[in-house]
Short mmCIF file of all heavy atoms in Angstrom, two decimals:
data_model
loop_
_atom_site.label_atom_id
_atom_site.label_comp_id
_atom_site.label_asym_id
_atom_site.label_seq_id
_atom_site.Cartn_x
_atom_site.Cartn_y
_atom_site.Cartn_z
N MET A 1 13.13 13.46 -13.56
CA MET A 1 12.36 12.59 -12.67
C MET A 1 11.00 12.30 -13.29
O MET A 1 10.23 13.20 -13.58
CB MET A 1 12.20 13.30 -11.32
CG MET A 1 11.46 12.49 -10.30
SD MET A 1 11.52 13.37 -8.71
CE MET A 1 9.97 12.93 -8.07
N SER A 2 10.71 11.06 -13.51
CA SER A 2 9.45 10.66 -14.12
C SER A 2 8.41 10.39 -13.04
O SER A 2 8.66 9.68 -12.08
CB SER A 2 9.68 9.40 -14.96
OG SER A 2 8.46 8.95 -15.48
N GLU A 3 7.25 10.95 -13.25
CA GLU A 3 6.17 10.79 -12.27
C GLU A 3 5.27 9.64 -12.71
O GLU A 3 4.81 9.61 -13.85
CB GLU A 3 5.36 12.08 -12.19
CG GLU A 3 4.54 12.20 -10.95
CD GLU A 3 3.85 13.56 -10.85
OE1 GLU A 3 4.35 14.53 -11.44
OE2 GLU A 3 2.83 13.61 -10.19
N ASN A 4 5.04 8.69 -11.82
CA ASN A 4 4.14 7.59 -12.13
C ASN A 4 2.71 8.02 -11.89
O ASN A 4 2.37 8.47 -10.81
CB ASN A 4 4.46 6.37 -11.25
CG ASN A 4 5.78 5.73 -11.62
OD1 ASN A 4 6.16 5.77 -12.77
ND2 ASN A 4 6.45 5.17 -10.66
N ARG A 5 1.90 7.90 -12.91
CA ARG A 5 0.49 8.26 -12.79
C ARG A 5 -0.35 7.09 -13.28
O ARG A 5 0.05 6.34 -14.15
CB ARG A 5 0.17 9.51 -13.63
CG ARG A 5 0.79 10.75 -13.05
CD ARG A 5 0.35 11.97 -13.82
NE ARG A 5 0.72 13.16 -13.07
CZ ARG A 5 -0.15 14.01 -12.55
NH1 ARG A 5 -1.44 13.81 -12.68
NH2 ARG A 5 0.27 15.06 -11.88
N ILE A 6 -1.52 6.97 -12.69
CA ILE A 6 -2.47 5.96 -13.12
C ILE A 6 -3.78 6.63 -13.46
O ILE A 6 -4.08 7.74 -13.00
CB ILE A 6 -2.69 4.88 -12.02
CG1 ILE A 6 -3.33 5.50 -10.77
CG2 ILE A 6 -1.40 4.15 -11.70
CD1 ILE A 6 -3.87 4.48 -9.80
N GLN A 7 -4.56 5.96 -14.29
CA GLN A 7 -5.91 6.44 -14.60
C GLN A 7 -6.82 5.99 -13.47
O GLN A 7 -6.78 4.83 -13.05
CB GLN A 7 -6.39 5.83 -15.92
CG GLN A 7 -7.74 6.32 -16.37
CD GLN A 7 -7.72 7.76 -16.85
OE1 GLN A 7 -6.73 8.22 -17.41
NE2 GLN A 7 -8.81 8.46 -16.64
N PHE A 8 -7.61 6.92 -12.94
CA PHE A 8 -8.46 6.63 -11.79
C PHE A 8 -9.90 6.95 -12.18
O PHE A 8 -10.31 8.11 -12.20
CB PHE A 8 -8.00 7.50 -10.61
CG PHE A 8 -8.62 7.17 -9.29
CD1 PHE A 8 -8.38 5.95 -8.67
CD2 PHE A 8 -9.42 8.08 -8.64
CE1 PHE A 8 -8.93 5.65 -7.45
CE2 PHE A 8 -9.99 7.79 -7.42
CZ PHE A 8 -9.74 6.57 -6.82
N ASN A 9 -10.65 5.93 -12.52
CA ASN A 9 -12.04 6.12 -12.96
C ASN A 9 -12.99 5.69 -11.85
O ASN A 9 -12.92 4.57 -11.36
CB ASN A 9 -12.32 5.30 -14.21
CG ASN A 9 -11.48 5.76 -15.38
OD1 ASN A 9 -11.40 6.95 -15.66
ND2 ASN A 9 -10.83 4.82 -16.05
N VAL A 10 -13.86 6.61 -11.46
CA VAL A 10 -14.85 6.30 -10.44
C VAL A 10 -16.19 6.91 -10.83
O VAL A 10 -16.26 7.88 -11.59
CB VAL A 10 -14.43 6.85 -9.04
CG1 VAL A 10 -13.18 6.18 -8.55
CG2 VAL A 10 -14.25 8.35 -9.07
N ARG A 11 -17.24 6.35 -10.29
CA ARG A 11 -18.57 6.94 -10.47
C ARG A 11 -18.93 7.67 -9.19
O ARG A 11 -18.82 7.11 -8.10
CB ARG A 11 -19.60 5.85 -10.75
CG ARG A 11 -19.39 5.17 -12.08
CD ARG A 11 -20.59 4.27 -12.40
NE ARG A 11 -20.38 3.56 -13.63
CZ ARG A 11 -20.69 4.04 -14.84
NH1 ARG A 11 -21.22 5.24 -14.94
NH2 ARG A 11 -20.47 3.33 -15.91
N ILE A 12 -19.35 8.92 -9.34
CA ILE A 12 -19.75 9.72 -8.20
C ILE A 12 -21.08 10.40 -8.52
O ILE A 12 -21.48 10.49 -9.68
CB ILE A 12 -18.68 10.77 -7.83
CG1 ILE A 12 -18.39 11.70 -9.01
CG2 ILE A 12 -17.41 10.10 -7.33
CD1 ILE A 12 -17.45 12.84 -8.70
N LYS A 13 -21.74 10.85 -7.47
CA LYS A 13 -23.01 11.56 -7.65
C LYS A 13 -22.76 12.88 -8.37
O LYS A 13 -21.68 13.47 -8.25
CB LYS A 13 -23.65 11.88 -6.30
CG LYS A 13 -24.10 10.67 -5.52
CD LYS A 13 -24.71 11.14 -4.22
CE LYS A 13 -25.03 9.99 -3.31
NZ LYS A 13 -25.52 10.45 -2.00
N ARG A 14 -23.75 13.34 -9.10
CA ARG A 14 -23.67 14.62 -9.80
C ARG A 14 -23.34 15.75 -8.81
O ARG A 14 -22.53 16.63 -9.10
CB ARG A 14 -24.99 14.91 -10.52
CG ARG A 14 -25.16 16.33 -11.04
CD ARG A 14 -24.12 16.79 -12.02
NE ARG A 14 -24.05 15.95 -13.19
CZ ARG A 14 -23.09 16.00 -14.09
NH1 ARG A 14 -22.10 16.85 -13.94
NH2 ARG A 14 -23.08 15.20 -15.12
N GLU A 15 -23.96 15.70 -7.62
CA GLU A 15 -23.73 16.74 -6.62
C GLU A 15 -22.26 16.77 -6.18
O GLU A 15 -21.69 17.83 -5.99
CB GLU A 15 -24.63 16.53 -5.40
CG GLU A 15 -26.11 16.69 -5.68
CD GLU A 15 -26.77 15.45 -6.29
OE1 GLU A 15 -26.14 14.36 -6.32
OE2 GLU A 15 -27.92 15.58 -6.74
N THR A 16 -21.66 15.59 -6.04
CA THR A 16 -20.26 15.51 -5.66
C THR A 16 -19.37 16.07 -6.78
O THR A 16 -18.41 16.79 -6.52
CB THR A 16 -19.87 14.05 -5.35
OG1 THR A 16 -20.75 13.54 -4.35
CG2 THR A 16 -18.43 13.94 -4.87
N SER A 17 -19.71 15.79 -8.01
CA SER A 17 -18.97 16.32 -9.14
C SER A 17 -19.08 17.85 -9.19
O SER A 17 -18.09 18.54 -9.46
CB SER A 17 -19.50 15.72 -10.45
OG SER A 17 -18.83 16.28 -11.56
N ASP A 18 -20.27 18.35 -8.90
CA ASP A 18 -20.46 19.81 -8.86
C ASP A 18 -19.62 20.44 -7.75
O ASP A 18 -19.04 21.52 -7.94
CB ASP A 18 -21.94 20.15 -8.66
CG ASP A 18 -22.81 19.78 -9.86
OD1 ASP A 18 -22.25 19.55 -10.96
OD2 ASP A 18 -24.04 19.70 -9.69
N MET A 19 -19.52 19.75 -6.61
CA MET A 19 -18.68 20.25 -5.52
C MET A 19 -17.22 20.28 -5.95
O MET A 19 -16.51 21.26 -5.67
CB MET A 19 -18.84 19.36 -4.28
CG MET A 19 -20.12 19.51 -3.54
SD MET A 19 -20.09 18.43 -2.10
CE MET A 19 -21.78 17.88 -2.09
N LEU A 20 -16.77 19.24 -6.63
CA LEU A 20 -15.39 19.19 -7.10
C LEU A 20 -15.13 20.33 -8.08
O LEU A 20 -14.09 20.98 -8.02
CB LEU A 20 -15.07 17.83 -7.73
CG LEU A 20 -13.67 17.69 -8.32
CD1 LEU A 20 -12.59 17.94 -7.28
CD2 LEU A 20 -13.51 16.32 -8.96
N ASP A 21 -16.08 20.57 -8.97
CA ASP A 21 -15.93 21.69 -9.92
C ASP A 21 -15.77 23.01 -9.18
O ASP A 21 -14.94 23.85 -9.55
CB ASP A 21 -17.13 21.77 -10.86
CG ASP A 21 -17.17 20.63 -11.87
OD1 ASP A 21 -16.14 19.99 -12.10
OD2 ASP A 21 -18.27 20.40 -12.42
N GLU A 22 -16.54 23.20 -8.13
CA GLU A 22 -16.46 24.43 -7.34
C GLU A 22 -15.11 24.54 -6.62
O GLU A 22 -14.51 25.62 -6.56
CB GLU A 22 -17.61 24.47 -6.33
CG GLU A 22 -17.75 25.80 -5.63
CD GLU A 22 -18.99 25.88 -4.75
OE1 GLU A 22 -19.95 25.13 -4.98
OE2 GLU A 22 -18.99 26.72 -3.84
N ILE A 23 -14.62 23.41 -6.10
CA ILE A 23 -13.32 23.40 -5.43
C ILE A 23 -12.22 23.72 -6.44
O ILE A 23 -11.31 24.50 -6.15
CB ILE A 23 -13.06 22.05 -4.74
CG1 ILE A 23 -14.04 21.84 -3.59
CG2 ILE A 23 -11.62 21.97 -4.23
CD1 ILE A 23 -14.06 20.43 -3.03
N VAL A 24 -12.28 23.13 -7.64
CA VAL A 24 -11.28 23.39 -8.68
C VAL A 24 -11.30 24.88 -9.04
O VAL A 24 -10.24 25.51 -9.17
CB VAL A 24 -11.54 22.52 -9.93
CG1 VAL A 24 -10.67 22.96 -11.11
CG2 VAL A 24 -11.29 21.05 -9.62
N GLU A 25 -12.48 25.44 -9.17
CA GLU A 25 -12.59 26.87 -9.47
C GLU A 25 -11.97 27.72 -8.36
O GLU A 25 -11.26 28.69 -8.62
CB GLU A 25 -14.06 27.25 -9.65
CG GLU A 25 -14.28 28.69 -10.05
CD GLU A 25 -15.75 29.01 -10.27
OE1 GLU A 25 -16.49 28.15 -10.79
OE2 GLU A 25 -16.15 30.13 -9.91
N TYR A 26 -12.20 27.32 -7.11
CA TYR A 26 -11.60 28.02 -5.96
C TYR A 26 -10.07 27.96 -6.03
O TYR A 26 -9.39 28.96 -5.86
CB TYR A 26 -12.12 27.42 -4.66
CG TYR A 26 -11.47 28.02 -3.44
CD1 TYR A 26 -11.93 29.22 -2.90
CD2 TYR A 26 -10.39 27.40 -2.82
CE1 TYR A 26 -11.32 29.79 -1.79
CE2 TYR A 26 -9.77 27.96 -1.71
CZ TYR A 26 -10.25 29.15 -1.20
OH TYR A 26 -9.64 29.72 -0.10
N TYR A 27 -9.54 26.76 -6.27
CA TYR A 27 -8.07 26.60 -6.39
C TYR A 27 -7.56 27.49 -7.52
O TYR A 27 -6.52 28.14 -7.39
CB TYR A 27 -7.72 25.14 -6.69
CG TYR A 27 -7.51 24.24 -5.50
CD1 TYR A 27 -8.51 24.00 -4.57
CD2 TYR A 27 -6.29 23.58 -5.32
CE1 TYR A 27 -8.32 23.16 -3.49
CE2 TYR A 27 -6.08 22.72 -4.25
CZ TYR A 27 -7.11 22.52 -3.33
OH TYR A 27 -6.91 21.67 -2.27
N GLN A 28 -8.27 27.50 -8.65
CA GLN A 28 -7.84 28.28 -9.81
C GLN A 28 -7.76 29.76 -9.47
O GLN A 28 -6.83 30.45 -9.85
CB GLN A 28 -8.82 28.06 -10.97
CG GLN A 28 -8.39 28.71 -12.27
CD GLN A 28 -7.18 28.05 -12.89
OE1 GLN A 28 -7.15 26.84 -13.08
NE2 GLN A 28 -6.19 28.83 -13.22
N GLN A 29 -8.74 30.25 -8.71
CA GLN A 29 -8.79 31.67 -8.37
C GLN A 29 -7.81 32.04 -7.27
O GLN A 29 -7.42 33.21 -7.16
CB GLN A 29 -10.21 32.06 -7.93
CG GLN A 29 -11.23 31.98 -9.04
CD GLN A 29 -12.64 32.21 -8.56
OE1 GLN A 29 -12.90 32.32 -7.37
NE2 GLN A 29 -13.58 32.26 -9.49
N ASN A 30 -7.39 31.08 -6.45
CA ASN A 30 -6.59 31.40 -5.27
C ASN A 30 -5.18 30.84 -5.29
O ASN A 30 -4.50 30.85 -4.27
CB ASN A 30 -7.33 30.94 -4.00
CG ASN A 30 -8.58 31.75 -3.78
OD1 ASN A 30 -8.52 32.89 -3.35
ND2 ASN A 30 -9.73 31.18 -4.13
N THR A 31 -4.73 30.36 -6.43
CA THR A 31 -3.34 29.91 -6.56
C THR A 31 -2.73 30.59 -7.77
O THR A 31 -3.44 31.02 -8.68
CB THR A 31 -3.24 28.38 -6.72
OG1 THR A 31 -3.93 27.99 -7.90
CG2 THR A 31 -3.78 27.64 -5.52
N LYS A 32 -1.44 30.66 -7.78
CA LYS A 32 -0.73 31.33 -8.88
C LYS A 32 0.05 30.33 -9.72
O LYS A 32 1.05 30.67 -10.33
CB LYS A 32 0.24 32.38 -8.30
CG LYS A 32 -0.40 33.38 -7.39
CD LYS A 32 -1.33 34.30 -8.13
CE LYS A 32 -1.89 35.35 -7.19
NZ LYS A 32 -3.06 36.01 -7.72
N ILE A 33 -0.40 29.07 -9.74
CA ILE A 33 0.38 28.04 -10.43
C ILE A 33 -0.06 27.81 -11.86
O ILE A 33 0.43 26.94 -12.53
CB ILE A 33 0.35 26.71 -9.64
CG1 ILE A 33 -1.08 26.18 -9.51
CG2 ILE A 33 1.01 26.85 -8.30
CD1 ILE A 33 -1.18 24.79 -8.95
N GLY A 34 -0.99 28.60 -12.36
CA GLY A 34 -1.48 28.39 -13.71
C GLY A 34 -2.74 27.55 -13.71
O GLY A 34 -3.52 27.57 -12.77
N ARG A 35 -2.90 26.77 -14.76
CA ARG A 35 -4.11 25.95 -14.92
C ARG A 35 -4.18 24.89 -13.83
O ARG A 35 -3.19 24.21 -13.55
CB ARG A 35 -4.10 25.29 -16.30
CG ARG A 35 -5.26 24.40 -16.57
CD ARG A 35 -6.48 25.20 -17.02
NE ARG A 35 -7.54 24.31 -17.45
CZ ARG A 35 -8.64 24.07 -16.73
NH1 ARG A 35 -8.83 24.68 -15.59
NH2 ARG A 35 -9.56 23.25 -17.18
N VAL A 36 -5.35 24.75 -13.23
CA VAL A 36 -5.57 23.75 -12.18
C VAL A 36 -6.48 22.67 -12.74
O VAL A 36 -7.51 22.96 -13.35
CB VAL A 36 -6.22 24.39 -10.92
CG1 VAL A 36 -6.51 23.34 -9.87
CG2 VAL A 36 -5.32 25.49 -10.36
N TYR A 37 -6.09 21.41 -12.53
CA TYR A 37 -6.85 20.28 -13.05
C TYR A 37 -7.51 19.52 -11.90
O TYR A 37 -7.01 19.51 -10.77
CB TYR A 37 -5.93 19.33 -13.83
CG TYR A 37 -5.35 19.99 -15.06
CD1 TYR A 37 -4.10 20.58 -15.03
CD2 TYR A 37 -6.07 20.02 -16.25
CE1 TYR A 37 -3.56 21.20 -16.15
CE2 TYR A 37 -5.55 20.63 -17.38
CZ TYR A 37 -4.29 21.22 -17.33
OH TYR A 37 -3.78 21.83 -18.43
N LYS A 38 -8.60 18.84 -12.21
CA LYS A 38 -9.32 18.06 -11.20
C LYS A 38 -8.40 17.04 -10.54
O LYS A 38 -8.45 16.85 -9.33
CB LYS A 38 -10.53 17.35 -11.82
CG LYS A 38 -11.67 18.27 -12.14
CD LYS A 38 -12.85 17.50 -12.71
CE LYS A 38 -13.97 18.45 -13.07
NZ LYS A 38 -15.15 17.74 -13.58
N GLY A 39 -7.58 16.39 -11.32
CA GLY A 39 -6.66 15.39 -10.76
C GLY A 39 -5.70 15.98 -9.74
O GLY A 39 -5.41 15.37 -8.72
N ASP A 40 -5.23 17.20 -10.02
CA ASP A 40 -4.32 17.87 -9.09
C ASP A 40 -5.04 18.22 -7.79
O ASP A 40 -4.48 18.07 -6.70
CB ASP A 40 -3.75 19.15 -9.72
CG ASP A 40 -2.92 18.86 -10.95
OD1 ASP A 40 -2.24 17.81 -10.98
OD2 ASP A 40 -2.94 19.69 -11.88
N VAL A 41 -6.29 18.69 -7.91
CA VAL A 41 -7.07 19.03 -6.72
C VAL A 41 -7.37 17.79 -5.90
O VAL A 41 -7.21 17.77 -4.68
CB VAL A 41 -8.37 19.76 -7.12
CG1 VAL A 41 -9.28 19.96 -5.91
CG2 VAL A 41 -8.06 21.11 -7.76
N LEU A 42 -7.78 16.72 -6.56
CA LEU A 42 -8.05 15.47 -5.84
C LEU A 42 -6.79 14.95 -5.15
O LEU A 42 -6.85 14.49 -4.00
CB LEU A 42 -8.60 14.40 -6.79
CG LEU A 42 -10.04 14.61 -7.24
CD1 LEU A 42 -10.40 13.61 -8.33
CD2 LEU A 42 -10.99 14.50 -6.07
N THR A 43 -5.65 15.03 -5.82
CA THR A 43 -4.39 14.61 -5.22
C THR A 43 -4.10 15.42 -3.97
O THR A 43 -3.74 14.86 -2.92
CB THR A 43 -3.24 14.75 -6.23
OG1 THR A 43 -3.50 13.89 -7.35
CG2 THR A 43 -1.90 14.39 -5.62
N ASP A 44 -4.27 16.73 -4.05
CA ASP A 44 -4.03 17.61 -2.91
C ASP A 44 -4.95 17.26 -1.74
O ASP A 44 -4.51 17.13 -0.60
CB ASP A 44 -4.22 19.06 -3.33
CG ASP A 44 -3.76 20.04 -2.26
OD1 ASP A 44 -2.61 19.91 -1.78
OD2 ASP A 44 -4.54 20.95 -1.93
N ILE A 45 -6.23 17.07 -2.03
CA ILE A 45 -7.20 16.73 -0.99
C ILE A 45 -6.85 15.40 -0.33
O ILE A 45 -6.87 15.27 0.89
CB ILE A 45 -8.63 16.71 -1.57
CG1 ILE A 45 -9.07 18.13 -1.94
CG2 ILE A 45 -9.62 16.08 -0.58
CD1 ILE A 45 -10.34 18.19 -2.76
N ILE A 46 -6.52 14.41 -1.14
CA ILE A 46 -6.20 13.08 -0.61
C ILE A 46 -4.92 13.13 0.23
O ILE A 46 -4.87 12.56 1.33
CB ILE A 46 -6.07 12.05 -1.76
CG1 ILE A 46 -7.45 11.80 -2.37
CG2 ILE A 46 -5.44 10.75 -1.27
CD1 ILE A 46 -7.42 11.05 -3.69
N GLU A 47 -3.90 13.83 -0.26
CA GLU A 47 -2.64 13.91 0.50
C GLU A 47 -2.84 14.63 1.84
O GLU A 47 -2.32 14.19 2.87
CB GLU A 47 -1.57 14.62 -0.33
CG GLU A 47 -1.06 13.76 -1.47
CD GLU A 47 -0.12 14.48 -2.41
OE1 GLU A 47 0.03 15.73 -2.30
OE2 GLU A 47 0.46 13.81 -3.28
N LYS A 48 -3.60 15.71 1.85
CA LYS A 48 -3.87 16.43 3.10
C LYS A 48 -4.70 15.58 4.06
O LYS A 48 -4.42 15.54 5.26
CB LYS A 48 -4.58 17.75 2.81
CG LYS A 48 -3.65 18.78 2.20
CD LYS A 48 -4.37 20.06 1.83
CE LYS A 48 -3.39 21.05 1.23
NZ LYS A 48 -4.07 22.25 0.72
N SER A 49 -5.69 14.89 3.53
CA SER A 49 -6.51 14.01 4.38
C SER A 49 -5.69 12.88 4.95
O SER A 49 -5.87 12.48 6.11
CB SER A 49 -7.69 13.43 3.57
OG SER A 49 -8.55 14.45 3.15
N TYR A 50 -4.77 12.34 4.16
CA TYR A 50 -3.90 11.25 4.60
C TYR A 50 -3.02 11.72 5.76
O TYR A 50 -2.85 11.00 6.75
CB TYR A 50 -3.07 10.76 3.42
CG TYR A 50 -2.21 9.57 3.75
CD1 TYR A 50 -2.76 8.29 3.82
CD2 TYR A 50 -0.84 9.70 3.99
CE1 TYR A 50 -1.98 7.18 4.12
CE2 TYR A 50 -0.05 8.61 4.28
CZ TYR A 50 -0.63 7.35 4.35
OH TYR A 50 0.15 6.26 4.65
N GLU A 51 -2.45 12.92 5.65
CA GLU A 51 -1.61 13.45 6.72
C GLU A 51 -2.42 13.66 8.00
O GLU A 51 -1.94 13.34 9.09
CB GLU A 51 -0.95 14.77 6.28
CG GLU A 51 0.12 14.58 5.24
CD GLU A 51 1.23 13.64 5.67
OE1 GLU A 51 1.71 13.75 6.83
OE2 GLU A 51 1.63 12.78 4.85
N ILE A 52 -3.63 14.16 7.88
CA ILE A 52 -4.51 14.33 9.04
C ILE A 52 -4.80 12.97 9.68
O ILE A 52 -4.75 12.82 10.90
CB ILE A 52 -5.82 15.04 8.63
CG1 ILE A 52 -5.52 16.50 8.27
CG2 ILE A 52 -6.86 14.97 9.76
CD1 ILE A 52 -6.67 17.22 7.59
N MET A 53 -5.10 11.97 8.85
CA MET A 53 -5.38 10.63 9.35
C MET A 53 -4.18 10.07 10.11
O MET A 53 -4.33 9.51 11.20
CB MET A 53 -5.74 9.70 8.19
CG MET A 53 -6.03 8.27 8.62
SD MET A 53 -6.03 7.08 7.26
CE MET A 53 -4.29 7.03 6.83
N LYS A 54 -2.97 10.24 9.53
CA LYS A 54 -1.77 9.72 10.21
C LYS A 54 -1.58 10.39 11.56
O LYS A 54 -1.24 9.71 12.54
CB LYS A 54 -0.54 9.94 9.33
CG LYS A 54 -0.47 8.98 8.18
CD LYS A 54 0.83 8.96 7.40
CE LYS A 54 1.73 10.12 7.52
NZ LYS A 54 2.93 10.08 6.67
N LYS A 55 -1.79 11.69 11.64
CA LYS A 55 -1.65 12.41 12.91
C LYS A 55 -2.68 11.91 13.93
O LYS A 55 -2.37 11.73 15.10
CB LYS A 55 -1.81 13.91 12.71
CG LYS A 55 -0.63 14.54 12.02
CD LYS A 55 -0.86 16.02 11.80
CE LYS A 55 0.29 16.63 11.00
NZ LYS A 55 0.04 18.05 10.70
N GLN A 56 -3.91 11.70 13.47
CA GLN A 56 -4.95 11.22 14.38
C GLN A 56 -4.65 9.80 14.86
O GLN A 56 -4.84 9.50 16.04
CB GLN A 56 -6.32 11.26 13.69
CG GLN A 56 -6.85 12.66 13.52
CD GLN A 56 -8.16 12.70 12.74
OE1 GLN A 56 -8.56 11.74 12.10
NE2 GLN A 56 -8.82 13.85 12.79
N LYS A 57 -4.17 8.95 13.97
CA LYS A 57 -3.82 7.59 14.36
C LYS A 57 -2.68 7.60 15.37
O LYS A 57 -2.69 6.84 16.33
CB LYS A 57 -3.44 6.77 13.13
CG LYS A 57 -4.63 6.40 12.26
CD LYS A 57 -4.19 5.77 10.95
CE LYS A 57 -4.04 4.29 11.09
NZ LYS A 57 -3.76 3.62 9.79
N LYS A 58 -1.71 8.48 15.15
CA LYS A 58 -0.58 8.57 16.05
C LYS A 58 -1.03 9.06 17.44
O LYS A 58 -0.59 8.53 18.46
CB LYS A 58 0.47 9.52 15.48
CG LYS A 58 1.76 9.58 16.27
CD LYS A 58 2.76 10.47 15.58
CE LYS A 58 4.05 10.53 16.37
NZ LYS A 58 5.06 11.37 15.72
N SER A 59 -1.90 10.05 17.47
CA SER A 59 -2.36 10.58 18.77
C SER A 59 -3.29 9.61 19.48
O SER A 59 -3.41 9.66 20.71
CB SER A 59 -3.06 11.93 18.58
OG SER A 59 -4.27 11.78 17.88
N ASN A 60 -3.93 8.71 18.77
CA ASN A 60 -4.84 7.73 19.38
C ASN A 60 -4.08 6.57 20.01
O ASN A 60 -4.65 5.78 20.76
CB ASN A 60 -5.83 7.19 18.36
CG ASN A 60 -6.88 8.20 18.01
OD1 ASN A 60 -7.15 9.14 18.74
ND2 ASN A 60 -7.51 8.01 16.85
N ARG A 61 -2.80 6.44 19.74
CA ARG A 61 -2.00 5.35 20.30
C ARG A 61 -1.74 5.55 21.79
O ARG A 61 -1.44 4.64 22.51
CB ARG A 61 -0.67 5.23 19.57
CG ARG A 61 -0.80 4.70 18.18
CD ARG A 61 0.55 4.51 17.56
NE ARG A 61 0.40 4.28 16.13
CZ ARG A 61 1.41 4.35 15.29
NH1 ARG A 61 2.61 4.65 15.71
NH2 ARG A 61 1.21 4.13 14.02
N TYR A 62 -1.80 6.80 22.23
CA TYR A 62 -1.45 7.11 23.62
C TYR A 62 -2.66 7.38 24.44
O TYR A 62 -3.72 7.63 24.08
CB TYR A 62 -0.51 8.31 23.66
CG TYR A 62 0.75 8.07 22.86
CD1 TYR A 62 0.92 8.64 21.62
CD2 TYR A 62 1.75 7.26 23.35
CE1 TYR A 62 2.06 8.40 20.88
CE2 TYR A 62 2.90 7.02 22.61
CZ TYR A 62 3.04 7.60 21.39
OH TYR A 62 4.18 7.35 20.67
#
């Protein structure tokens, strides 16, 4: 199974980058999957946020 990936270049504040570094370090220390990359952490954060958003949108319909 081939995974489609794209290059995602953005400009962010230094403070935001430092926060991401800290989150990556946390993932590295608290998971057993081996090396953790920024892209993997960002993907995880985005996917979890997306699921939360979908649940909130669904509950707001009623």
Side-chain angles (χ1 to χ4, degrees):
M1 181 173 146
S2 176
E3 199 175 335
N4 290 328
R5 291 185 168 245
I6 63 166
Q7 183 72 32
F8 190 65
N9 296 312
V10 296
R11 292 190 183 273
I12 58 175
K13 294 180 187 175
R14 168 59 58 191
E15 295 81 11
T16 305
S17 177
D18 292 343
M19 287 181 218
L20 177 58
D21 289 341
E22 189 173 338
I23 294 168
V24 170
E25 183 178 324
Y26 176 82
Y27 271 61
Q28 186 69 52
Q29 293 173 354
N30 293 284
T31 61
K32 305 292 183 197
I33 61 171
R35 179 82 172 106
V36 177
Y37 296 95
K38 287 182 182 182
D40 297 326
V41 172
L42 287 172
T43 298
D44 190 52
I45 291 169
I46 291 168
E47 288 173 351
K48 287 176 179 174
S49 296
Y50 184 78
E51 289 303 315
I52 291 169
M53 179 195 70
K54 285 190 341 184
K55 288 178 185 176
Q56 288 176 346
K57 287 172 88 174
K58 186 176 180 179
S59 68
N60 287 339
R61 289 184 192 165
Y62 302 104

